[in-house]
């Protein structure tokens, strides 16, 4: 029986063992410290022996064959520096370094033993590769005393490994290219060996061979390259595009077409992109394109190769990786080459659904585009223009907002070119189907609207404002041309497919949206609307260029009304030149009203004719007449006009009303203010709707609640008094409240309908027929009885239909009044912000509290309560009301009314609102010299009343 041999520990250096252990540590800092410690032991000052140096060299080579942790990284760094230090030591002592012995050691320590596992075999292959790389990186083969035979021998080891193991070929090519690009230049003879060995091994027409050939060609131009491999010894020659593309795209798919040898077969597919792509495209970018162009190679290798219809998902994945890599480096003038046809198609296909195999790769590609666009806005302009010209529906197909985001990232100087491209799509949509053309035109118009919306120009520099006005003018003028006019046939802008009536209406709507946005983007809200209307007027004066499609009907009074409106606008223009600041706001407000009302007349709005007539009377009362009575009536009429504006579904009229009301709050009288309060007191029923709009049951002014603010989506921008807007969320909330109210009566109505139906059929209701075995049959009925039954059923269902129609009418009436109240509250918010020192503002408190208590809409209640809180925040104790009259009795009367209202039953919000209003009036009373004792007495009386009558 054999015994285990006892391990002798006398000759073990534990410090060296720890150093070798740390060289495999996963922490880079630990590995570097260990390498430094090892090298310090072999410094010349320590006089290391040759045996010790040889032992360390063998141990380092052997460590490269270990797959433990990060052993190869740590041992390769230590080995490289060890060889560099050994070279320096030999030069200092005038001794020749035995390079042949080093290569012998590499071969010996990385030779594969017999009967080893597959993993151990791979470890030794990697060890040999890392060892060769360390020798090349150390530079010992470039020394003057080094023979080319040493390099030749090492290259044979590397190329033999590349031929023998295809899965290591890319790594072999990488270390050879890195050696050629090393900062330590080698001799021409040594560089020549790289090319000769490459050719001799038959790997010239592989991705690694291409990368090595191109690297050598630019690093050492004097090398003699083998003939009959590439035309003019250059893989980048334009005539080699097709072959180069096949080599690059078939890196790991199938063997090269130039050889049938087994040793050049490809390995399995890798998700990592081959480094040859970097070398090829990097060389074209760095050294110019004297032979092959970037676009030519991209089209051949990437678009027609990797992104081809027949390509596998793996190849397309490579294509996305290549795109993500080079979209950040390609020059701007080459970006169009990247956005090739097949690439766009693959992006659309993969982004269409999150379940697609390459969906995430496509998303990363889009993020790469946006990342480049943020750094270089010119790139955003190029990409947007490409999508506009080739795939304007990209966002629709991919369910993204790529084009919109790129428009917002684009360089302002390029906006005009972008607008031109979208207008060209409207003129010539490049489709023959009318429905497709209409959809394409609508998309283009929507992007034009987004371009207007996405730019913020308030407080911007003059140059930015000038650029903005330039491209905005192009947008509005183009929309006007194709919405209101038709180019004569011989004009250059004749459309390839006639614009339908529906598309022209769509363009009018988009123009109106643009105008509503532009009203908020200038210190002079009337500037852009006036520019729009002036261009329409200019086009009307040029019938030889554009044929007008504007129809004012057969009534000459409409044309006369429009003509008077134009005269008034011209007068306002002249007055603006000499008006002071206070008068200027009024002039601009009326100019804004006139221009937008005339625009609505051009849009076919018949109600706008009556509105402009009211405006004319208001204008004459405020600007022409000198009578105070006339001016008061004019202000009241102006408020009525503003109320008629906010009662309409258009977002444009809502913003117009707010702008005009903001400029004219000082003109609002108590009578005008009462007309607004009357709206808040309207019942939220059909009768209330009829009283408000004087309709006798016909459709309301806000005929389509759901259309009231559809244009407001995504359009919330900074502007005067635009903080609170009636949004779709309010509409939906109103509908939810109606659903709750109506659901309570649904069961009763169904039961009543069931009873009537049972009576007509002569049967029992469904809920009373359970548990009985009686059968009903119509077998004994004759024809007359059947006809009578049909008549009864028809009556029952007609009544049911009337009931459903009446319910719908009630619901719509409530929604109409609720939205009207919400918009009036927005106007009152403007009034309080501008006129909170006006005593008339106090008269709003009682109506606001009343509407909080009586309304069935949560939104209206919250808006009214927020208005009271805003009033309380604005008024400070140091403020004084703008009135010379004694206001004490009036304020105490208001305070008493508030306390009386507080005793009425209401919600918690109502109680809080009463408390807030009471404190506000008390503060105003005391701030304006009132007696605090009166306030305390009133509070004491109210408290005593609550105690006695809980």
């Amino acid at each position: 029986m054999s015994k285990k041999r006892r391990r002798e520990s006398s000759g073990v250096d534990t410090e060296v063992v720890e150093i070798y252990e740390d060289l495999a540590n996963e922490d880079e800092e630990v590995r570097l410290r260990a390498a430094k410690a090892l090298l310090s032991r072999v410094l010349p000052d320590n006089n290391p022996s040759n045996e010790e140096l040889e032992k360390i060299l063998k141990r380092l080579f052997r460590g490269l064959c270990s797959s433990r942790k990060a052993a190869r990284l740590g041992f390769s760094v230590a080995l490289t520096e060890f060889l560099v230090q050994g070279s320096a030591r030999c030069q200092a002592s005038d001794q020749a370094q035995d390079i042949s012995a080093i290569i012998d050691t590499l071969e010996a320590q990385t030779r594969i033993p017999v009967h080893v596992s597959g993993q151990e075999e791979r470890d030794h292959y990697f060890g040999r590769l890392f060892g060769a790389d360390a020798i090349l990186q150390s530079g010992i083969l470039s020394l003057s005393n080094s023979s080319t035979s040493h390099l030749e021998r090492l290259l044979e080891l590397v190329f033999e490994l590349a031929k023998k193991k295809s899965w290591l070929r890319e790594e072999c090519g990488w270390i050879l290219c890195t050696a050629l690009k090393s900062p330590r230049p080698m001799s021409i003879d040594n560089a020549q060996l790289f090319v000769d060995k490459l050719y001799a091994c038959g790997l010239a027409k592989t991705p690694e061979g291409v990368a090595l050939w191109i690297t050598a060609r630019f690093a050492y131009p004097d090398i003699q390259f083998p003939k009959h491999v590439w035309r003019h010894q250059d893989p980048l020659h334009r005539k080699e595009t097709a072959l180069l593309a096949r080599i690059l795209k078939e890196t790991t798919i199938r063997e090269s077409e130039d050889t049938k040898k087994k040793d050049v077969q490809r390995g399995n597919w890798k998700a990592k992109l081959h480094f040859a792509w970097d070398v090829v495209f990097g060389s074209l970018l760095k050294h110019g394109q004297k032979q092959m162009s970037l676009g030519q190679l991209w089209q051949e290798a990437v678009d027609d190769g990797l992104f081809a219809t027949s390509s596998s998902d793996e190849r397309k994945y490579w294509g996305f990786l290549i795109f993500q890599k080079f979209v950040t480096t390609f020059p701007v003038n080459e970006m169009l080459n990247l956005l090739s046809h097949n690439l766009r198609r693959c992006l659309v296909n993969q982004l269409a659904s999150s379940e697609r195999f390459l969906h995430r790769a496509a998303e990363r590609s889009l993020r790469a585009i946006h990342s480049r666009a943020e750094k270089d806005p010119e790139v955003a302009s190029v990409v947007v223009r490409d999508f506009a010209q080739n795939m304007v529906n990209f966002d629709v197909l991919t369910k993204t907002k790529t084009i919109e985001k790129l428009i917002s990232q684009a360089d302002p100087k390029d906006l005009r070119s972008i607008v031109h491209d979208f207008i060209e799509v409207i003129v010539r949509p490049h489709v023959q189907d009318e429905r497709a053309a209409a959809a394409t035109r609508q998309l283009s118009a929507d992007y034009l609207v987004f371009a207007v919306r996405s730019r913020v120009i308030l407080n911007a520099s003059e140059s930015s404002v000038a650029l903005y006005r330039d491209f905005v003018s192009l947008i509005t003028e183009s929309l006007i041309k194709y919405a209101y006019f038709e180019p004569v046939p011989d004009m250059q802008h004749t459309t390839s497919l006639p614009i339908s009536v529906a598309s022209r209406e769509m363009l009018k709507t988009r123009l109106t949206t643009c105008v509503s946005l532009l009203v908020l983007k200038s210190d002079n809200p009337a500037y852009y609307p006036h520019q729009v209307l002036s261009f329409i007027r200019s086009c009307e004066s040029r019938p030889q260029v554009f044929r007008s499609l504007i129809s004012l009907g057969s009534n000459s009074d409409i044309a006369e009304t429009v003509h008077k409106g134009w005269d008034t606008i011209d007068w306002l223009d002249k007055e603006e030149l000499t008006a002071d600041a206070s008068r200027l706001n009024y002039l601009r407000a009326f100019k804004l009203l006139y221009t937008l009302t005339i625009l609505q007349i051009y849009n076919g709005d018949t109600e706008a004719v009556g509105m402009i007539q009211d405006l004319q009377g208001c204008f004459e009362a405020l600007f022409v007449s000198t009578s105070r009575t006339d001016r008061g009536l004019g202000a009241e009429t102006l408020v009525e006009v503003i109320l008629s504006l906010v009662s309409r579904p258009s977002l444009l009229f809502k913003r117009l009303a707010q702008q005009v009301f903001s400029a004219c709050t000082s003109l609002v009288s108590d009578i005008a203010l009462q007309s607004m309060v009357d709206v808040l007191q309207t019942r939220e029923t059909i009768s209330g709707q009829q009283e408000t709009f004087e309709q006798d049951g016909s459709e309301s002014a806000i005929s389509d609640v759901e259309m009231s603010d559809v244009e407001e989506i995504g359009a919330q921008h900074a502007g005067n008094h635009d903080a609170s807007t009636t949004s779709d969320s309010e509409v939906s909330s109103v509908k939810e409240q109606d659903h709750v109210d109506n659901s309570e009566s649904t069961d009763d109505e169904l039961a009543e309908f069931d009873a009537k139906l049972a009576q007509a059929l002569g049967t029992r209701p469904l809920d009373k027929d359970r548990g009985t075995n009686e059968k009903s049959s119509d077998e004994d009925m004759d024809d007359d009885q059947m006809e009578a039954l049909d008549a009864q059923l028809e009556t029952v269902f007609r009544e049911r239909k009337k009931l459903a129609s009446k319910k719908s009418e009630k619901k719509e009436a409530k929604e109409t009044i609720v939205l009207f109240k919400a918009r009036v509250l927005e106007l009152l918010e403007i009034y309080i912000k501008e006129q909170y020192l006006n005593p008339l503002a106090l008269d709003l408190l009682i109506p606001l509290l009343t509407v909080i208590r009586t309304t069935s809409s949560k939104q209206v209640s919250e808006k009214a309560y927020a208005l009271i809180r805003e009033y309380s925040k604005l008024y400070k104790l140091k403020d004084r009301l703008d009135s010379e009259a004694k206001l004490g009795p009036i304020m105490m009367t208001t305070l008493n009314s508030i306390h009386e209202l507080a005793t009425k039953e209401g919600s918690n919000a109502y109680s809080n609102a009463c408390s807030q209003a009471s404190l506000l009036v008390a503060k105003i009373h005391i701030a304006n010299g009132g007696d605090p004792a009166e306030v305390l007495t009133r509070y004491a009386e109210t408290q005593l009343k609550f105690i006695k009558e809980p």
Side-chain angles (χ1 to χ4, degrees):
M1 184 175 179
S2 62
K3 296 182 179 180
K4 287 187 178 181
R5 186 175 60 185
R6 182 178 298 176
R7 180 177 296 176
E8 298 179 1
S9 59
S10 58
V12 177
D13 190 339
T14 57
E15 184 179 353
V16 174
V17 173
E18 290 180 359
I19 289 176
Y20 287 133
E21 182 69 24
D22 289 343
L23 282 176
N25 196 287
E26 294 178 347
D27 190 339
E28 183 180 7
E29 293 185 0
V30 175
R31 294 198 304 269
L32 293 177
R33 285 198 301 267
K36 184 177 180 180
L38 178 64
L39 295 174
S40 65
R41 298 175 65 89
V42 294
L43 290 174
D45 296 340
N46 296 329
N47 295 320
S49 64
N50 291 333
E51 292 181 358
E52 185 178 0
L53 293 175
E54 184 177 354
K55 183 178 179 181
I56 292 176
L57 182 64
K58 290 180 179 181
R59 183 64 184 88
L60 290 176
F61 275 125
R62 193 166 61 250
L64 296 176
C65 298
S66 173
S67 60
R68 180 172 57 92
K69 296 182 180 179
R72 291 194 183 97
L73 296 177
F75 278 83
S76 63
V77 170
L79 175 61
T80 302
E81 294 303 320
F82 178 82
L83 295 175
V84 171
Q85 188 170 305
S87 175
R89 184 170 53 251
C90 291
Q91 287 181 347
S93 59
D94 293 331
Q95 296 178 358
Q97 190 174 20
D98 192 354
I99 299 177
S100 179
I102 295 175
I103 298 177
D104 289 339
T105 305
L106 168 64
E107 285 191 89
Q109 296 301 320
T110 59
R111 185 176 293 113
I112 301 174
V114 295
H115 306 301
V116 296
S117 64
Q119 180 61 45
E120 290 179 318
E121 181 180 356
R122 287 190 292 272
D123 289 339
H124 280 77
Y125 284 136
F126 275 115
R128 177 165 294 188
L129 180 64
F130 273 80
D133 184 37
I135 294 174
L136 289 171
Q137 293 298 323
S138 67
I140 61 175
L141 296 176
S142 300
L143 299 177
S144 58
N145 59 1
S146 176
S147 172
T148 56
S149 61
H150 298 148
L151 176 60
E152 184 176 6
R153 184 181 172 191
L154 186 67
L155 291 178
E156 286 177 352
L157 290 177
V158 176
F159 278 110
E160 180 184 0
L161 190 59
K163 292 176 63 178
K164 188 174 183 179
K165 296 298 177 182
S166 59
W167 47 271
L168 274 178
R169 187 174 303 153
E170 182 179 350
E171 286 71 17
C172 293
W174 169 258
I175 67 168
L176 295 177
C177 288
T178 305
L180 283 174
K181 294 185 294 184
S182 173
R184 301 186 184 94
M186 64 179 66
S187 65
I188 296 296
D189 293 338
N190 284 351
Q192 185 70 51
L193 280 175
F194 281 77
V195 178
D196 293 343
K197 288 297 179 182
L198 173 67
Y199 178 71
C201 292
L203 298 177
K205 290 190 176 181
T206 61
E208 298 79 18
V210 169
L212 190 62
W213 192 296
I214 293 174
T215 303
R217 181 173 178 270
F218 287 109
Y220 300 94
D222 298 331
I223 291 178
Q224 297 297 318
F225 289 93
K227 297 181 180 180
H228 311 299
V229 179
W230 302 99
R231 288 182 176 88
H232 302 283
Q233 291 78 49
D234 186 5
L236 300 181
H237 193 275
R238 67 178 183 276
K239 293 184 179 180
E240 300 288 5
T241 305
L243 178 58
L244 179 60
R246 288 200 301 271
I247 292 173
L248 289 175
K249 72 183 181 182
E250 296 181 3
T251 46
T252 56
I253 300 299
R254 74 174 81 145
E255 66 181 38
S256 171
E257 295 182 1
D258 282 2
T259 177
K260 301 297 182 182
K261 296 180 181 179
K262 185 178 180 179
D263 56 359
V264 293
Q265 64 182 357
R266 306 259 49 99
N268 295 328
W269 179 83
K270 296 180 180 179
K272 181 182 176 182
L273 192 64
H274 199 285
F275 78 93
W277 290 97
D278 286 326
V279 176
V280 172
F281 280 103
S283 299
L284 290 176
L285 288 171
K286 183 177 180 180
H287 301 288
Q289 306 173 44
K290 296 181 181 179
Q291 301 294 328
M292 184 186 300
S293 67
L294 278 171
Q296 185 181 5
L297 181 59
W298 181 272
Q299 185 68 34
E300 187 76 29
V302 181
D303 198 58
D304 293 339
L306 301 179
F307 285 119
T309 307
S310 59
S311 293
S312 63
D313 288 337
E314 289 79 8
R315 286 196 180 186
K316 291 175 181 177
Y317 179 75
W318 277 342
F320 283 130
L321 290 183
I322 294 170
F323 178 79
Q324 295 162 24
K325 177 182 289 290
F326 293 112
V327 75
T328 60
T329 57
F330 262 42
V332 176
N333 59 342
E334 293 289 347
M335 288 299 298
L336 290 180
N337 293 322
L338 282 180
L339 299 169
S340 46
H341 172 74
N342 288 332
L343 167 64
R344 289 194 301 268
R345 177 182 53 79
C346 286
L347 279 174
V348 169
N349 290 339
Q350 299 301 327
L351 290 169
S353 172
S354 59
E355 297 180 357
R356 299 289 170 84
F357 186 69
L358 299 177
H359 180 76
R360 291 186 178 180
E363 286 184 326
R364 287 193 293 270
S365 298
L366 287 186
R367 287 197 292 269
I369 293 175
H370 292 307
S371 178
R372 174 71 186 277
E374 288 179 0
K375 300 175 183 177
D376 190 353
E378 190 177 354
V379 171
S381 306
V382 172
V383 178
V384 169
R385 296 189 63 186
D386 180 75
F387 280 128
Q389 296 168 7
N390 299 291
M391 193 177 282
V392 72
N393 59 341
F394 180 83
D395 283 3
V396 176
L397 297 175
T398 60
K399 301 174 185 178
T400 63
K401 293 186 178 181
T402 304
I403 297 179
E404 289 187 1
K405 187 173 181 179
L406 289 170
I407 290 175
S408 63
Q409 293 175 321
D411 192 333
K413 297 178 181 178
D414 297 326
L415 286 175
R416 190 174 181 87
S417 300
I418 293 174
V419 170
H420 267 300
D421 288 331
F422 283 117
I423 292 172
E424 182 64 22
V425 175
I426 294 175
V427 178
R428 299 178 182 85
H430 304 298
V431 292
Q432 298 303 321
D433 180 67
E434 291 187 1
R435 293 183 61 183
T440 301
R441 284 168 172 152
Q442 181 172 341
L443 278 174
S444 299
D446 288 340
Y447 287 131
L448 293 178
V449 173
F450 182 81
V452 175
R453 177 184 292 128
S454 63
R455 300 289 163 167
V456 179
I457 61 167
L458 288 176
N459 302 321
S461 62
E462 294 183 4
S463 60
S464 298
V465 173
L467 287 173
Y468 184 81
R469 288 183 175 179
D470 181 54
F471 94 89
V472 162
S473 298
L474 179 60
I475 291 175
T476 55
E477 290 174 6
S478 300
L479 292 176
I480 289 169
K481 286 179 184 178
Y482 301 106
Y484 299 96
F485 300 92
E486 185 177 23
V488 296
D490 59 341
M491 292 300 296
Q492 60 176 349
H493 293 295
T494 303
T495 58
S496 59
L497 193 66
I499 302 177
S500 64
V501 175
S503 292
R504 293 188 191 277
E505 291 299 321
M506 177 273 298
L507 294 177
K508 290 179 183 179
T509 303
R510 298 305 181 268
L511 176 65
T512 302
T513 304
C514 287
V515 173
S516 67
L517 294 170
L518 292 169
V519 165
L520 303 177
K521 289 181 175 287
S522 176
D523 295 332
N524 179 8
Y527 174 79
Y528 290 105
H530 184 259
Q531 293 295 107
V532 168
L533 210 60
S534 298
F535 186 74
I536 295 178
R537 192 179 188 184
S538 173
C539 291
E540 284 184 312
S541 64
R542 294 182 292 166
Q544 72 279 7
V545 179
F546 292 101
R547 183 170 64 87
S548 176
L549 301 176
I550 299 174
S551 176
L552 299 180
S554 58
N555 191 346
S556 60
D557 292 341
I558 298 179
E560 181 64 24
T561 300
V562 173
H563 181 71
K564 288 183 179 179
W566 274 116
D567 291 340
T568 304
I569 291 174
D570 293 338
W571 184 88
L572 292 170
D573 283 339
K574 295 178 182 178
E575 288 294 313
E576 275 191 51
L577 301 176
T578 57
D580 56 14
S582 59
R583 181 176 170 80
L584 187 62
N585 289 332
Y586 301 142
L587 294 173
R588 288 178 174 176
F590 268 87
K591 184 177 176 181
L592 180 63
L593 275 173
Y594 270 98
T595 52
L596 293 182
T597 307
I598 293 177
L599 181 62
Q600 289 303 109
I601 293 177
Y602 286 159
N603 287 340
D605 187 353
T606 56
E607 295 183 7
V609 178
M611 189 181 301
I612 202 170
Q613 292 172 349
D614 293 339
L615 275 178
Q616 193 65 27
C618 183
F619 167 77
E620 293 175 357
L622 291 175
F623 292 98
V624 179
S625 176
T626 57
S627 170
R628 174 175 292 185
T629 302
D630 290 343
R631 290 177 63 84
L633 292 174
E636 295 169 13
T637 305
L638 178 61
V639 171
E640 293 295 336
V641 170
I642 291 174
L643 289 177
S644 67
L645 289 175
V646 297
S647 69
R648 299 168 67 86
S650 173
L651 174 64
L652 173 61
F653 277 124
K654 171 188 170 181
R655 289 180 172 172
L656 168 62
Q658 292 176 350
Q659 289 285 344
V660 174
F661 189 73
S662 175
C664 303
T665 52
S666 60
L667 299 177
V668 177
S669 63
D670 55 345
I671 299 177
L673 208 58
Q674 184 59 42
S675 63
M676 302 176 72
V677 170
D678 291 341
V679 175
L680 299 180
Q681 297 174 348
T682 304
R683 291 173 296 172
E684 297 167 3
T685 60
I686 295 178
S687 60
Q689 181 188 33
Q690 293 173 352
E691 292 172 2
T692 302
F693 301 106
E694 300 177 356
Q695 293 181 333
D696 296 328
S698 59
E699 66 175 322
S700 64
I702 303 182
S703 57
D704 190 350
V705 173
E706 293 166 332
M707 286 292 292
S708 62
D709 285 291
V710 70
E711 298 292 346
E712 193 168 356
I713 300 174
Q716 299 296 335
H717 295 278
N720 294 333
H721 311 293
D722 198 45
S724 60
T725 54
T726 306
S727 63
D728 287 339
S729 61
E730 295 174 318
V731 179
S732 61
S733 182
V734 171
K735 294 179 180 178
E736 290 174 4
Q737 183 66 34
D738 287 342
H739 177 73
V740 173
D741 296 339
N742 294 333
S743 61
E744 298 175 357
S745 60
T746 301
D747 293 338
D748 295 337
E749 293 171 357
L750 289 176
E752 182 181 356
F753 172 70
D754 184 27
K756 290 182 179 180
L757 186 61
Q759 182 180 2
L761 295 174
T763 62
R764 296 185 181 186
L766 292 177
D767 58 344
K768 296 181 181 180
D769 199 40
R770 296 171 184 170
T772 66
N773 296 323
E774 297 180 3
K775 298 181 180 179
S776 61
S777 174
D778 58 355
E779 294 179 356
D780 298 333
M781 287 187 178
D782 56 21
D783 293 342
D784 294 338
Q785 290 175 327
M786 290 292 289
E787 290 180 3
L789 179 61
D790 289 343
Q792 292 177 355
L793 290 175
E794 184 178 353
T795 302
V796 171
F797 281 103
R798 188 185 302 113
E799 292 178 358
R800 174 65 176 173
K801 186 176 181 180
K802 288 181 179 179
L803 180 62
S805 176
K806 189 174 182 180
K807 286 178 58 179
S808 176
E809 189 177 354
K810 289 180 180 179
K811 180 180 179 181
E812 291 179 0
K814 179 180 178 181
E815 292 174 353
T816 299
I817 297 300
V818 165
L819 284 178
F820 193 18
K821 287 183 178 181
R823 289 189 172 185
V824 170
L825 286 170
E826 292 170 8
L827 294 178
L828 292 178
E829 180 184 3
I830 295 172
Y831 180 82
I832 287 179
K833 286 181 178 179
E834 297 289 340
Q835 300 291 324
Y836 67 93
L837 296 180
N838 191 328
L840 291 178
L842 283 171
D843 296 338
L844 295 175
L845 291 175
I846 302 301
L848 288 175
L849 292 174
T850 303
V851 76
I852 293 174
R853 186 174 64 86
T854 59
T855 184
S856 60
S857 170
K858 182 179 179 181
Q859 282 65 40
V860 172
S861 176
E862 289 177 348
K863 280 181 176 289
Y865 181 36
L867 195 53
I868 294 175
R869 286 189 301 174
E870 182 68 20
Y871 192 179
S872 181
K873 290 179 182 179
L874 289 171
Y875 196 93
K876 309 298 181 184
L877 278 174
K878 62 181 181 179
D879 294 328
R880 298 292 183 272
L881 295 180
D882 298 332
S883 177
E884 298 180 358
K886 294 183 179 180
L887 300 175
I890 297 176
M891 284 186 281
M892 286 306 303
T893 301
T894 303
L895 184 63
N896 292 333
S897 299
I898 293 173
H899 280 243
E900 288 297 326
L901 287 175
T903 61
K904 296 183 179 182
E905 186 178 356
S907 62
N908 290 335
Y910 172 69
S911 300
N912 293 334
C914 289
S915 175
Q916 192 85 46
S918 177
L919 292 173
L920 171 62
V921 174
K923 179 169 59 176
I924 295 175
H925 180 65
I926 296 173
N928 286 272
D931 187 1
E934 294 179 334
V935 176
L936 294 175
T937 301
R938 179 65 244 194
Y939 268 91
E941 292 175 356
T942 302
Q943 188 174 12
L944 182 62
K945 185 177 181 179
F946 273 110
I947 294 174
K948 291 183 177 181
E949 303 175 6

